[in-house]
Structure formats: C-alpha cells, structure tokens
Amino acid sequence: MSKLSSRLLKPIIYLSFSLVAVAGVTLAQAPVGSPAVFGYLDFTAQAKLDAQFLAVPDAKLAGEALKTLTAKPHMASTKEDYETAQYVAEKFKAAGLETRIVPYRVLLNLPRKVSFEARSDAGMMLITGPTPEHVPDQPVGDVYQNDPRVVMPFNGSSGSGDVTGEVVYANYGRLEDFDRLAAEHIDLHGKIVLVRYGANFRGVKVYIAEQRGAAGVLIYSDPYDDGYFKGDAYPNGPWRPETGVQRGSVQYLFKYPGDPQTPGVASTPELPDSARQDPAHTGNQPTIISVPISYHDAEPILRELKGPTVPKGWQGALPFSYHLGGAGVSVHLLSDQDYQVRTIWDVIGRIKGTQSPDDWVVVGNHRDAWVYGAVDPNSGTAAMLEAVHGFGALLKSGWKPKRTVVFGSWDAEEEGLIGSTEWTEQHMQALDKAVAYFNVDVAVAGTEFDAEAVPSLKQFVREVTKEVSSPKGGSVYEQWKLSSGGEAQDSSNTGHPAKAAALGANEDIPVGDLGSGSDFTPFLQHAGVPSTDIGSHGDYGVYHSVFDNYAWYVMNADPTFVYLQEMARVLGLEALHMADADVLPYDYVTYAKEIGMYLEGAQRRKAAGALDFASAQEAARRFLKAAEAARNHQMAPGAELPKLNAALRATEGALLSDAGLPNRSWYKHTIYAPGEYTGYAAVVIPGVNEALEAKNPTLAQQQLAVLTQCLNKAAETLEGGI
C-alpha cells in the first residue's frame, strides 16, 4: 500500500485534547490507576467490566485458531473457504452470539491458464513462466508450498487474452512515472508494461497503463522493496524469496468496490440476473491482461532491456543497470480467466442491545486469502475470535450491551472488498444508525501497533490502547508512542496502509486517515459510519504469496501469539466501550480543525488560483463552533442524552454527498476517499483536490460548493442536538 501523495495534500498536524474536563465540568472520574475514558458519566462500573473482558482473550487459543484457519488455501468461493466460514460460525455460536452464514452471488474470476514467455530481439528465449513459488531449504513445519490447491499467480479482475508486445519498464506505475515515459517520447500503444510493486495500488498501475494504450502489464516484486535488499529472505528471514509472487486484485476499486455487476445493489441469492449489469460498462474492471510475477522471472527481462538508462529513483536492487526498454525484449502473455457468478459466505454474529438495539456497533475482519493468509487476513480473524471469546464470557456473567454488537467475518475481500460491500449495500437503512465500524485486517505482521480512523475516533483509539498491556511492557499506548515517532510507515508491499500524519502540538501519537484497501471502505465512504482500522506491522515481505503461512508467522511475527492476544483486547475494548458508553465518544473538534487545515492546504495549491474558498472556510468555522458546543454537552449531557447521541451519530452522515464524487458516484464521503491515482491512500476533501489535480477550476468550485453544503449540514446537525 502507499503513502499519501504530497501533490494532493500538505502534511497534517493531528491535535488531541484532554477528554476529562472542559469548562470545569468533569464527565468521568475513573478509579485510581485506570484511565479517564470519554463518554461515561461514571466509569467505575465500566472499568470493572473492562478488567473482566481483558482477562479472557488467550494467546494459546488464538494460535490454535490461526493454525486451523490457515491449514489449507482458502480463496473466496472455494469449499475450503466455506469450511472456514463454518469454523468461524461455530466459534460465534459457542460464545452465545446469534449467528448466520450469509451467502452472496458475485462475479469472480479464477485462472484456467496464465503463462508468459520473454524473448530477446535476437529471438533467444529468456524466461518462461510463471516459475512456481518454492524455496529449496524448506523449513521444518512448512508443508505449505507444495500443496496442489495453491492457486497459480494471477490477478483478480484481470482481462483475458493472448498478446505479444515489446516491454517498457515504468518503475512503480505511478501517474508521474507514466508521464515521464511520455516525456521521453516512449509510446505505450501495444506494449507490455513492466512495473514493480509499491507506491500505489496495483489496480492503479493497470488503470493508467490501459489509458495509455498498453496491451498488458507485468507486475513484479523488486528485492529493493520487499526482498533481500531489506534483509534476509525467507526461510532465513522475513523477506520475499526470489520466486515469491504478490497476487492481488486489479479491480478499479477507486471507482467502486464490490460485485462488479451490482454497484450500489446487494448481490443476494434472490437478485435476478436481469438486475445485473455488464461489468464491461460499469467502470471498475480492466480490459487488458495483467500478471503478477516474481523477481526471479523479472530479472532476465530487465537485464536484457535496451533504451535509455532509467531516471533517478527508478533503479531497483537487481545487480545491473535498469533501462526503459521499448527495445530488447518482447513478451508473449496468455491469460485465460474463468469468470462466473460464484457464491461467497459472510458470517454474521449478533448480540442484541438492551437500551438502543437499533444502534449497531459493527466489528469486522475478512476471512478469505489468496493462499493461506496467516498474516493477511487470518491474524485478524484469530484476534477477532478471541475478542468474541471475551464477549462470550461477559454474556455468561449476565452482561448485555446497551447497543447491539455485530461481528462480521467478510468473504472475498481480496477480490475487491466484496463481502463487506454487499452486506453494507444490503443494510444501508439500518447502518444509518450504526455508531461505529471497527476493522482489523492485518492484525499482526510484527510488533508495532498502528491505527487509522476518522478524526472523531482518533482519540478514542488512543484511550482504548491505554488500558491494554503490551507484551513489551507498559501499555499498548506507551509502546505505540515510543515506536511511532511521527513518521509515516512505508508499507507499500505489506498489505498495511501507510500513514500520513505528523505529531500534534501536544506530542500525541499520530493516527492515520482511512483511504481504502480494506473493509472499512463501504462502511465509511458509502454508508457514512464512523470507522477505525487497527493492526501491528513489522518486517513482512511475503504479502499475498504462498509463504504467508503459519510456518512464516511463527518464525517471524509472533511465535507465542501474544500479539494476537493484544489485538483481540484492543479490538474488543473498542467494541465494548462503544456499545456501553453513555455519550457517543466522538471528537468533532479535532475533525473540524483537520477539515480547516485541509481547506488551507487546498487553497495554497497553485492550481487553486482564483477559486473562492470563503464560503467553505466559513462553513468549517461554523462546524468547529458547533463541535466545541457539542463537546461541552458531551461532558455534561443532562436529560437530552438520546437527542444528543442521535445528533452526534448523524453528523458523520451529514458529510456524505448524495451525488457522490465526480465520475465515481459510489463514493459519497466529501472528506475522505481513496485517490483515483493512489487507490489505497486517502485523498482529503477529494472532490476539491482531485479537480485541482486535473486543473479543472470549474469542477473544483462546484465541489467546494458541495463541501460547503455538507459542512453546514454537519454543523446544523450538531447544533440541533444541543
């Protein structure tokens, strides 16, 4: 995944404030030795409940769950995938959750055949592939690489075809990389573009190549980014071995995620085929071939390429000088993809609330994997199951939540966030009142905790981590603060979104913004549910390969499973606090201040020119004033608590635009969206900034008007609740 582009926004300063007292009014006085937690009139009882929950998640049980979940390859729609659904459902039922396995019928491709061969200009065969993923010194306990059920390297949503063309190297396949090739007068029509993983979402690489006329795309993992240049490769270390391949979807999820045939509509089993659209005309499917390959297979191609030497920053770690190509090598690509409407299975577990049953707290993780998925995603599944274990213990003690808690095990995330998107689209009306969505995907790739969230929940996440012990000593919060240092983590190849945050004036921990790439996307950016995403990162070079398996995990990430336990506690405590808080613990003051900074950043851009920002800035100031007034009422809510909570929840929804973003109307959020040319990383005030990027002042002014309207609506919503 990728860092935010500095062309789209300036660095953001994240602010936090004391949530204990405002204007001399104390909301929650916690027992001595426990943290003050915003949202509680009296935290004493909740502190005891928290302690009861935190004692339950078990490292050993989490490790056993991870081993079971990763025993077989389990791509979405396979029988092994259904077996994992049954396993998760049994765990939910054992904890006392009302449980259903929910099927959807969605368009998915599986490969019949994927192959390529590369020849020099002289006709010499350079490589035929793909080479099977294999390490010669197979570690003890690693029985995974030779399983015949391991799918060949392929891309979800790839086009089918049989094409031959000269190879051009395009670095990371960013927009600026393709523009550099154009400046060098390198025509891509009919060419095979070779790009390396990193810096943006793989679908963006294919999207731009398709726009520039390429016939196909090869995407390889350069050892500079996640191989031996980083350190020892598996099995001697955590990094990608030479035959390791990063599979992945190239769906244009920045247009819309989910079933390609049903944008905005749930693909339930009852949906008639007549309600499905032709994916060739809906905008989120490539038409050209794309194939992921290893650096073992890329090396002879790169070595033989002619043409100019590459620009500064384009050289990888292979031991020769890289060239742009356009001569030297031609590649024959064959991709035969079997597209069918296939069944996938979400697992939904529910605990009904006693006071506000229509106010849902949704917790989710996807279960499907390209192969075994020990880190991505089943470290998250194992952590979620131990959080469910903790909730089960509370239920057996007689506790019931005030708000309904829903646990979701999503399917087909890897192909395009499909299971979560279809479920969200099916429950849009109910989600109008959902108070939060808490996501975990890559729960444990290493030991360094990190999080992303909407600004209203950034302090909420920090407060939760103060209660959870770290295996390193102290609290998760303390270790997070030590490790963060305010620096964004470049995890373009690890499956964990990079952060784009700077330390605030009070030196608190930076919390990143939500772009896309995991299941929070439909909840926040389509349904307007306040969301967070948590995980822990480390040296992880086997993303989406056969080597992301239980043996790698035990050797490199978390041999005693204590970080699975840590993540279960954080995730569960998020849900527990949101389910039982007296006042919804949203921090709209920070939200409003950040929006003000986003507007300032946009206005400073050269392309902003003569645009009129006055109305938008006035609306942002109004939103800030309303947020400050609402915070005072959150501290001392009085008798109008239900009215206040309803207004607090509706405020996030007020930031949605009914019309959606230009040319991608599925995305409704006016503050955050995945970038059209980043795919994963968040673009802030996207309607405005992307119009500025496109040098379209008319559209930028129109999007400023939309943003102004939403900010005024958000302010009015808060004002109406106090």
Side-chain angles (χ1 to χ4, degrees):
M1 300 193 185
S2 55
K3 293 181 180 179
L4 288 176
S5 170
S6 60
R7 295 179 296 115
L8 295 178
L9 75 154
K10 299 294 184 180
I12 301 163
I13 297 175
Y14 290 88
L15 306 176
S16 67
F17 54 86
S18 171
L19 294 168
V20 181
V22 174
V25 179
T26 299
L27 173 64
Q29 293 290 355
V32 174
S34 66
V37 177
F38 184 46
Y40 288 88
L41 300 174
D42 184 347
F43 189 63
T44 305
Q46 185 64 45
K48 294 177 181 177
L49 190 69
D50 288 0
Q52 186 179 348
F53 167 79
L54 290 170
V56 178
D58 184 273
K60 182 180 178 182
L61 292 177
E64 290 172 358
L66 182 67
K67 189 171 186 178
T68 299
L69 288 160
T70 59
K72 304 171 185 177
H74 54 282
M75 283 186 61
S77 81
T78 63
K79 72 180 184 64
E80 292 83 8
D81 176 40
Y82 184 66
E83 289 170 4
T84 64
Q86 292 175 306
Y87 176 79
V88 168
E90 288 304 313
K91 291 289 187 180
F92 282 7
K93 290 174 185 176
L97 278 59
E98 174 193 324
T99 302
R100 292 180 59 214
I101 295 179
V102 181
Y104 295 99
R105 296 179 65 247
V106 302
L107 185 69
L108 297 176
N109 65 302
L110 291 172
R112 292 190 187 96
K113 184 176 182 180
V114 175
S115 66
F116 67 90
E117 57 182 27
R119 293 180 181 273
S120 70
D121 284 349
M124 181 179 66
M125 183 69 72
L126 301 174
I127 186 77
T128 61
T131 300
E133 291 181 291
H134 182 79
V135 290
D137 300 321
Q138 187 169 327
V140 175
D142 185 348
V143 296
Y144 302 100
Q145 65 181 11
N146 297 320
D147 192 309
R149 293 167 295 191
V150 172
V151 71
M152 70 181 73
F154 82 108
N155 282 336
S157 292
S158 170
S160 290
D162 186 338
V163 297
T164 300
E166 292 180 328
V167 177
V168 174
Y169 174 62
N171 194 29
Y172 289 114
R174 301 168 297 184
L175 183 61
E176 57 264 39
D177 296 332
F178 281 98
D179 286 345
R180 180 64 183 266
L181 291 175
E184 297 283 341
H185 305 291
I186 296 177
D187 184 5
L188 296 183
H189 283 83
K191 301 295 198 302
I192 305 299
V193 176
L194 176 65
V195 295
R196 55 174 164 158
Y197 270 113
N200 61 4
F201 168 52
R202 69 185 74 80
V204 172
K205 304 172 194 290
V206 177
Y207 178 61
I208 308 173
E210 183 176 28
Q211 290 178 329
R212 303 295 171 96
V217 180
L218 289 170
I219 314 176
Y220 83 102
S221 299
D222 196 286
Y224 179 86
D225 298 299
D226 65 0
Y228 59 72
F229 186 81
K230 294 285 191 180
D232 288 333
Y234 186 72
N236 299 312
W239 296 102
R240 192 177 300 271
E242 67 173 303
T243 58
V245 180
Q246 182 188 142
R247 298 156 181 80
S249 173
V250 293
Q251 183 196 79
Y252 297 162
L253 61 79
F254 42 87
K255 296 290 188 180
Y256 67 90
D259 180 7
Q261 295 183 322
T262 62
V265 177
S267 295
T268 61
E270 299 77 24
L271 185 73
D273 288 344
S274 59
R276 295 178 175 274
Q277 300 181 45
D278 183 349
H281 303 302
T282 56
N284 87 334
Q285 294 288 94
T287 60
I288 63 174
I289 298 172
S290 64
V291 177
I293 65 174
S294 63
Y295 75 79
H296 173 277
D297 288 353
E299 180 171 5
I301 299 173
L302 283 162
R303 186 185 294 274
E304 192 69 18
L305 284 181
K306 309 301 182 187
T309 55
V310 296
K312 184 178 180 181
W314 287 38
Q315 175 70 38
L318 294 171
F320 48 80
S321 179
Y322 291 18
H323 292 255
L324 294 179
V329 181
S330 65
V331 164
H332 173 210
L333 280 182
L334 174 64
S335 174
D336 183 8
Q337 299 298 324
D338 179 18
Y339 276 90
Q340 292 185 29
V341 174
R342 294 179 160 92
T343 299
I344 63 170
W345 304 274
D346 289 349
V347 185
I348 306 298
R350 191 182 308 259
I351 306 170
K352 188 174 182 180
T354 58
Q355 295 183 15
S356 302
D358 294 334
D359 296 354
W360 295 356
V361 177
V362 186
V363 182
N365 158 265
H366 80 93
R367 189 185 66 254
D368 65 294
W370 285 111
V371 192
Y372 298 101
V375 171
D376 178 17
N378 293 126
S379 64
T381 311
M384 185 174 72
L385 289 178
E386 276 308 290
V388 168
H389 180 198
F391 272 71
L394 296 183
L395 288 171
K396 288 171 185 171
S397 74
W399 166 86
K400 290 288 181 67
K402 294 177 182 177
R403 301 178 181 89
T404 294
V405 180
V406 179
F407 287 92
S409 174
W410 314 121
D411 204 354
E413 187 269 1
E414 295 294 5
E415 284 81 355
L417 319 182
I418 294 177
S420 58
T421 297
E422 301 313 309
W423 191 86
T424 299
E425 290 172 344
Q426 185 177 5
H427 297 89
M428 284 292 290
Q429 185 173 354
L431 290 171
D432 279 346
K433 296 187 70 178
V435 296
Y437 174 68
F438 298 128
N439 191 65
V440 62
D441 188 337
V442 176
V444 181
T447 64
E448 307 301 325
F449 181 84
D450 223 335
E452 303 84 39
V454 290
S456 58
L457 291 177
K458 290 181 178 180
Q459 184 65 13
F460 172 81
V461 176
R462 296 184 189 108
E463 295 295 338
V464 164
T465 61
K466 291 177 180 178
E467 285 195 61
V468 179
S469 297
S470 168
K472 299 177 184 178
S475 68
V476 173
Y477 174 85
E478 290 165 339
Q479 293 297 335
W480 182 15
K481 189 169 185 176
L482 284 173
S483 68
S484 66
E487 295 298 323
Q489 299 292 327
D490 182 7
S491 44
S492 301
N493 290 287
T494 68
H496 192 70
K499 314 302 175 290
L503 289 177
N506 65 348
E507 302 281 314
D508 210 335
I509 301 170
V511 178
D513 294 324
L514 293 166
S516 188
S518 195
D519 293 301
F520 55 79
T521 290
F523 288 93
L524 174 62
Q525 293 155 349
H526 189 67
V529 180
S531 300
T532 73
D533 185 37
I534 61 171
S536 57
H537 61 264
D539 292 345
Y540 171 46
V542 296
Y543 175 57
H544 286 191
S545 76
V546 73
F547 307 112
D548 184 1
N549 57 45
Y550 183 81
W552 183 96
Y553 185 94
V554 172
M555 185 182 299
N556 296 291
D558 183 20
T560 58
F561 312 109
V562 289
Y563 288 93
L564 290 180
Q565 180 184 49
E566 172 193 274
M567 297 304 295
R569 288 168 169 167
V570 174
L571 183 68
L573 215 57
E574 282 189 293
L576 191 58
H577 281 195
M578 191 61 73
D580 280 348
D582 300 303
V583 184
L584 290 173
Y586 303 144
D587 167 14
Y588 282 116
V589 173
T590 295
Y591 211 146
K593 288 180 178 179
E594 292 195 8
I595 291 170
M597 287 188 284
Y598 301 159
L599 283 167
E600 291 174 7
Q603 190 172 20
R604 287 195 297 267
R605 296 182 63 175
K606 183 177 180 181
L611 292 181
D612 184 359
F613 281 78
S615 295
Q617 289 171 328
E618 179 58 34
R621 286 191 290 269
R622 178 187 175 188
F623 184 31
L624 176 58
K625 184 177 180 181
E628 290 171 338
R631 186 173 71 186
N632 288 336
H633 283 265
Q634 286 172 281
M635 295 297 182
E640 295 297 313
L641 182 54
K643 180 182 176 183
L644 174 62
N645 277 334
L648 289 167
R649 168 58 188 94
T651 298
E652 186 75 53
L655 296 172
L656 302 184
S657 163
D658 291 339
L661 295 178
N663 302 315
R664 44 190 186 134
S665 60
W666 187 92
Y667 285 97
K668 307 290 186 185
H669 210 284
T670 58
I671 311 302
Y672 299 107
E676 183 176 3
Y677 291 106
T678 64
Y680 282 155
V683 175
V684 300
I685 54 172
V688 176
N689 272 317
E690 291 193 332
L692 290 174
E693 188 70 17
K695 297 180 175 58
N696 188 336
T698 301
L699 180 60
Q701 194 68 65
Q702 184 265 335
Q703 287 297 300
L704 273 170
V706 171
L707 177 61
T708 299
Q709 183 180 20
C710 289
L711 289 174
N712 278 323
K713 184 179 178 183
E716 182 180 351
T717 302
L718 282 179
E719 291 161 357
I722 56 179

